[in-house]
Amino acid sequence: MKRGKTQTGSVVLPTHRGDVVYSCIECQAQYSLEEFHYTCPSCGSLLKLLDRAFDELKRVSGTKWRAIFDGRRVSNRHFLAGIFLFHELILPAVPPEDVIYLGEGHTPLIRANEDLSGWVGAPFYVKNDGLNPSASFKDRGMASAISYLNHSIRARDIPQVLGICASTGDTSAAAALYLSYLPKGKVKSVVLLPQGKVTPQQLSQPLGSGATVIELPGVFDDCMKVVEELAENYEVFLLNSKNPARINGQKSYSYEVAQQLDWQTSNLVTVLPIGNAGNITAVMEGFLDLYRLNIIDTLPTVIGVQSEHADPVYRWSMTGKYAPVPVRASVAQAAMIGDPVSFPKVRQLVEEHYQSRFFAVRVSEQEVMEGMLTANRHGHVVCTQGGESVAGLKKAVANGLVSREDTLVVDSTSHQLKFAEFQQMYFTDSFAPEYEITTRMDLRNAPVALDADAESVAGFLNLKRKGKT
Ligand SMILES: *Cc1c(COP(=O)(O)O)cnc(C)c1O
Ligand SMILES: [Zn+2]
């Protein structure tokens, strides 16, 4: 870090541009960022982004890094406002002027109230990633991937790009939003969705952003196969989490959690749903970055939650053997994935770094719904996947896997409103049998129709008249 010139007030601006390359997680081959890659051209495995100059960052002490990141929070510089506050750790190859910021990141960490903590069995926090611009954490990864695309378009003078993704709903909402910000003459936006397997709210998002929306029969895994083949054989920019630039943006979740806890992570346990396993990969990588730079002194425990209806990672964690599973109908629809693309990264991170600091928990569909509804009855606005996290934490507490003394953080990955139809199915007890969810009367709610006069409302509510005794 050069100081002096780059330091304005207490804000230290990023000067580290790093030496970032694609690096294969299996054969270790490296490739320049000058081309777009999604899998290793030599062996076909997953790629990650590697900053070969990362060790230069170690010249700054952990204490100093904490002060730098804390100092940037009060800066009004546009490019530091979102996930690129952690520029050195996200994608230092993208210069500040090419960063796209649409309001992502710095989502609130909200303390669960006493009643809800009592229900779960321990005090905890909800990090509400539904309060991102397209209402899910996917905006974090999209901000980095689209900033990289924006930089590439300018630096390499690319005339035309087609941004494309397959999605369980939220990736397409985020991709379409961020792509719509780039010049229309240069950038087109296409999303592939499994027909009938995203909510109406999620479908409305890419449509509203002007993307070409293509519906395919089957489930997400089928759409993913199509998009993988397209990315392999045609000139497209893939925006699934197979694109390692997405993972790097999503690491910001971990940096923020650590910062919001004043960098005290020694008893930290983070709980999040697993779908395609991109997010849990990013969260584990993010904490690892902080650990390597002495910004935190211990790695936290990471708990992945899966539904009984889509549980390949849970099965692997119990048996040590991985196999794709057929998925069944799930209200945690954004995580309804039978063969997670990023699983090999999860396995590597667990084997090499997290070991017993990682485990998976499995919950029923009924528990997912009750986790969501109960959280939302106590001041939260969590989605079904957030409900899955809450239910997973409750189970982990019940099974003695975490203690009341731990600092517990659950990820609500998107906003309640995206999944309003599952809430409605619950309230009206109209789930199709394959969901295996039955309504509990005490969690039901429905509007009451009355005449438009005060008498009838007061009568219905049993109100007492004022004064006049
Ligand atoms: C994508 C998504 C998930 C699953 O995340 P992965 O990175 O696919 O594991 C969970 N919840 C929501 C709301 C999502 O959009
Ligand atoms: Zn390789």
Side-chain angles (χ1 to χ4, degrees):
M1 301 288 307
K2 284 188 240 86
R3 293 237 239 96
K5 247 193 184 162
T6 57
Q7 191 160 3
T8 53
S10 62
V11 179
V12 180
L13 300 179
T15 53
H16 175 85
R17 290 292 169 269
D19 179 15
V20 184
V21 292
Y22 293 103
S23 166
C24 174
I25 70 160
E26 296 299 341
C27 78
Q28 265 86 48
Q30 297 183 354
Y31 307 93
S32 158
L33 286 193
E34 295 284 303
E35 277 174 53
F36 298 140
H37 293 292
Y38 313 106
T39 49
C40 175
S42 144
C43 80
S45 301
L46 294 174
L47 297 170
K48 63 181 177 189
L49 295 184
L50 173 73
D51 181 0
R52 294 186 294 199
F54 186 84
D55 282 354
E56 285 174 17
L57 299 173
K58 292 183 181 163
R59 287 187 213 143
V60 175
S61 71
T63 315
K64 177 77 186 162
W65 275 121
R66 293 197 289 267
I68 290 173
F69 292 142
D70 288 345
R72 286 181 191 166
R73 287 205 71 175
V74 296
S75 165
N76 285 322
R77 277 162 215 271
H78 200 70
F79 78 96
L80 293 176
I83 61 164
F84 279 94
L85 182 143
F86 306 98
H87 186 273
E88 292 86 348
L89 306 180
I90 302 274
L91 240 176
V94 175
E97 62 271 22
D98 288 336
V99 164
I100 303 290
Y101 167 65
L102 297 184
E104 68 287 341
H106 306 297
T107 54
L109 190 64
I110 297 158
R111 195 190 297 270
N113 71 11
E114 240 172 76
D115 285 351
L116 183 61
S117 294
W119 185 77
V120 162
F124 70 102
Y125 296 88
V126 177
K127 185 156 170 76
N128 185 357
D129 255 15
L131 297 181
N132 273 299
S134 80
S136 87
F137 76 82
K138 299 294 199 305
D139 293 325
R140 297 178 180 278
M142 228 37 91
S144 57
I146 298 296
S147 295
Y148 166 49
L149 177 63
N150 185 43
H151 173 60
S152 304
I153 289 173
R154 294 208 323 142
R156 285 155 44 196
D157 208 12
I158 300 173
Q160 282 280 324
V161 183
L162 185 84
I164 193 166
C165 66
S167 175
T168 53
D170 294 329
T171 298
S172 59
L177 175 66
Y178 281 77
L179 286 167
S180 74
Y181 190 80
L182 298 184
K184 293 277 176 286
K186 286 188 180 262
V187 178
K188 301 252 173 307
S189 163
V190 180
V191 306
L192 304 184
L193 298 173
Q195 191 165 27
K197 305 272 182 339
V198 306
T199 71
Q201 292 76 14
Q202 289 171 316
L203 178 58
S204 78
Q205 291 187 287
L207 289 172
S209 296
T212 300
V213 177
I214 298 173
E215 295 186 314
L216 303 178
V219 294
F220 168 81
D221 296 285
D222 301 300
C223 294
M224 192 64 214
K225 280 191 198 105
V226 172
V227 95
E228 281 177 333
E229 208 174 313
L230 291 173
E232 197 131 311
N233 300 310
Y234 299 86
E235 292 288 337
V236 295
F237 187 67
L238 180 69
L239 281 159
N240 281 96
S241 52
K242 221 172 175 179
N243 182 335
R246 280 245 346 250
I247 302 286
N248 272 40
Q250 287 171 205
K251 294 193 297 183
S252 60
Y253 178 90
S254 304
Y255 309 151
E256 289 175 19
V257 169
Q259 185 171 39
Q260 286 168 313
L261 296 171
D262 285 330
W263 312 103
Q264 300 305 310
T265 60
S266 53
N267 292 314
L268 176 61
V269 180
T270 58
V271 185
L272 58 155
I274 303 180
N276 222 5
N279 207 31
I280 196 154
T281 296
V283 167
M284 286 196 280
E285 284 185 356
F287 285 118
L288 201 55
D289 287 344
L290 298 182
Y291 183 63
R292 285 177 167 148
L293 293 177
N294 290 314
I295 295 172
I296 58 173
D297 55 22
T298 31
L299 285 176
T301 297
V302 176
I303 303 180
V305 189
Q306 294 207 297
S307 156
E308 287 172 352
H309 289 191
D311 61 354
V313 180
Y314 172 78
R315 284 167 191 255
W316 164 74
S317 77
M318 297 311 284
T319 63
K321 290 197 193 76
Y322 176 78
V325 302
V327 294
R328 291 179 283 152
S330 174
V331 293
Q333 193 166 256
M336 199 180 109
I337 296 174
D339 189 9
V341 163
S342 291
F343 173 73
K345 288 185 172 175
V346 174
R347 172 157 46 199
Q348 218 173 62
L349 281 158
V350 171
E351 286 173 358
E352 289 174 14
H353 302 285
Y354 280 82
Q355 286 131 10
S356 61
R357 289 181 186 276
F358 167 87
F359 51 90
V361 171
R362 184 169 65 178
V363 294
S364 69
E365 289 293 310
Q366 186 78 25
E367 289 169 321
V368 173
M369 274 315 284
E370 290 177 8
M372 177 184 87
L373 294 168
T374 307
N376 292 347
R377 284 180 165 227
H378 293 92
H380 298 275
V381 284
V382 311
C383 62
T384 42
Q385 296 68 219
E388 189 174 26
S389 302
V390 172
L393 175 60
K394 185 172 162 63
K395 186 152 284 184
V397 174
N399 293 346
L401 298 169
V402 299
S403 95
R404 290 182 57 86
E405 281 64 50
D406 293 332
T407 305
L408 306 169
V409 175
V410 308
D411 186 355
S412 179
T413 45
S414 78
H415 199 284
Q416 173 187 22
L417 292 177
K418 287 204 188 217
F419 296 89
E421 64 166 16
F422 290 126
Q423 174 181 293
Q424 190 57 16
M425 285 183 204
Y426 191 93
F427 289 164
T428 54
D429 202 5
S430 56
F431 274 108
E434 58 265 31
Y435 283 97
E436 301 178 297
I437 293 171
T438 49
T439 301
R440 260 179 42 196
M441 289 317 258
D442 60 324
L443 284 176
R444 257 181 81 159
N445 208 355
V448 180
L450 296 173
D451 290 336
D453 67 78
E455 287 288 297
S456 76
V457 177
F460 174 76
L461 296 173
N462 255 327
L463 297 183
K464 279 206 191 79
R465 268 188 191 282
K466 284 194 207 168
K468 288 187 193 162
T469 41

